[in-house]
Amino acid sequence: MNIVLLGSPGVGKGTYAEKISKIYSIPQISTGDIFREAIKNETKVGLEAKSYMDKGELVPDEVTIKIVKERLEKDDCKNGFMLDGFPRTIAQADALSEISKIDKVLSFVADDEIIIDRLSGRRVCSECGRIFHVKNIPPKIEGICDICEGKLIQREDDKPESIKKRLDVYKKQTAPLIDYYKEKNILAEIDASKPIEKVDEIISDVRKALEE
Ligand code: ADP
Ligand code: ZN
């Protein structure tokens, strides 16, 4: 099964992606994670992506499409995959349709107020990447990762100026994909406004949508 996760930054795609990927044994392919890894390793792609990401802008389609195409050619994608954070523009969606057939697009929806709270309180482990939230998913010790004891940091693009920019970019460039996939009859809308304790309910809605 080839799945795409769609939804505003902060809607919780990463959290759902991890669970869905386990349930269906398909790799989770997050373009955001691929770019962050490239930045860490100071590769050419990383250097190019960084300037856009820090500002909350999209990395150019050409670069993004190329890395996804290469990733989808790997063996572990043969029995299905899940894209998290791609496509984010109509041009990317058109390119994806040339690369592979998509079975289902899950569109996660929550109000702006919830989104802004999730993004501004989000903290990530600088070592293992695990996600926390100052109120909703607090670590046992403030500022320290429960899993690996790494230091928790705020992503550069989770600072207020970049959050606003990312939400604008989402509305202008990515939200049109909802209609794009609706027209193809492969869109399922999932209510993602429930609090984190109810993440299992969200996942059960996802399973229903995928298995219908
Ligand atoms: P979020 O969904 O919380 O914004 P991501 O980790 O998915 O976070 O993405 C972080 C940043 O990486 C984006 O703001 C953008 O700069 C870049 N990026 C990720 N995916 C794409 C994409 N498909 N096209 C262009 N830029 C992307
Ligand atoms: Zn950690």
Side-chain angles (χ1 to χ4, degrees), residues 13-192:
K13 284 193 304 293
T15 306
Y16 315 136
E18 213 183 294
K19 292 180 185 282
I20 300 166
S21 155
K22 283 208 186 94
I23 295 172
Y24 293 97
S25 307
I26 48 176
Q28 169 192 359
I29 301 168
S30 157
T31 40
D33 286 348
I34 295 176
F35 287 136
R36 276 184 291 275
E37 186 66 23
I39 291 174
K40 218 174 176 180
N41 297 329
E42 298 180 351
T43 67
K44 194 161 153 277
V45 167
L47 289 175
E48 176 157 22
K50 186 168 175 16
S51 59
Y52 297 99
M53 285 177 75
D54 284 352
K55 280 183 285 186
E57 288 167 12
L58 294 184
V59 179
D61 284 338
E62 207 189 85
V63 182
T64 311
I65 290 166
K66 186 162 175 282
I67 61 155
V68 171
K69 188 166 190 299
E70 284 170 5
R71 181 64 187 84
L72 292 180
E73 277 163 7
K74 297 216 165 125
D75 277 352
D76 64 342
C77 294
K78 289 222 163 69
N79 296 317
F81 56 79
M82 183 182 47
L83 287 165
D84 157 21
F86 183 94
R88 257 175 156 93
T89 62
I90 299 278
Q92 290 179 11
D94 284 338
L96 177 61
S97 69
E98 305 275 305
I99 303 170
S100 197
K101 184 182 171 294
I102 299 303
D103 300 303
K104 202 83 177 185
V105 177
L106 301 167
S107 167
F108 295 95
V109 195
D111 288 342
D112 275 2
E113 210 180 309
I114 295 178
I115 298 286
I116 292 169
D117 171 73
R118 286 183 187 167
L119 287 173
S120 52
R122 174 158 75 180
R123 299 292 181 271
V124 293
C125 174
S126 55
E127 299 296 326
C128 74
R130 166 71 58 144
I131 296 166
F132 296 86
H133 187 283
V134 289
K135 289 197 312 271
N136 309 338
I137 324 169
K140 290 198 188 79
I141 305 166
E142 197 188 315
I144 305 289
C145 175
D146 289 355
I147 313 290
C148 77
E149 299 187 344
K151 189 166 171 267
L152 300 186
I153 55 166
Q154 183 171 40
R155 264 166 52 174
E156 207 45 57
D157 60 352
D158 280 345
K159 309 220 159 126
E161 321 75 64
S162 297
I163 289 181
K164 190 175 171 304
K165 177 78 192 172
R166 281 157 69 207
L167 293 177
D168 284 349
V169 167
Y170 176 77
K171 284 189 181 135
K172 284 206 192 78
Q173 307 205 57
T174 309
L177 291 176
I178 295 174
D179 281 338
Y180 177 100
Y181 285 119
K182 230 181 229 167
E183 277 163 25
K184 295 189 191 297
N185 281 318
I186 51 172
L187 190 93
E189 287 203 356
I190 309 284
D191 174 11

